[in-house]
Amino acid sequence: MFEFDQYLGFLAFLTILTIGFWLMIFLLTFVVPYWIGGSIMEMIKEKRAAKKAKQES
């Protein structure tokens, strides 16, 4: 069925595929929402600061 080097290649392929899958899941569930949430909070802070500066002047 498989020779030993083909078996090692198949295991390497499955390992890389699995690592890529879990990395994509991690990025989509934690990193991207954190990045978007931080960007929105920063934008809100900038708008508040601009509104405060406008009211003071």
Side-chain angles (χ1 to χ4, degrees):
M1 188 170 135
F2 278 130
E3 292 182 21
F4 188 68
D5 57 345
Q6 290 176 326
Y7 179 69
L8 286 179
F10 180 68
L11 284 180
F13 170 74
L14 284 181
T15 302
I16 292 168
L17 184 73
T18 304
I19 290 171
F21 172 76
W22 287 114
L23 178 64
M24 185 179 67
I25 294 297
F26 172 72
L27 288 174
L28 289 177
T29 57
F30 294 108
V31 176
V32 173
Y34 181 77
W35 180 32
I36 292 172
S39 298
I40 291 172
M41 287 180 61
E42 192 69 27
M43 186 173 49
I44 291 171
K45 285 180 185 178
E46 289 177 7
K47 285 185 179 181
R48 283 184 184 166
K51 184 187 281 186
K52 189 176 181 182
K54 186 178 178 184
Q55 287 178 351
E56 288 177 357
S57 61

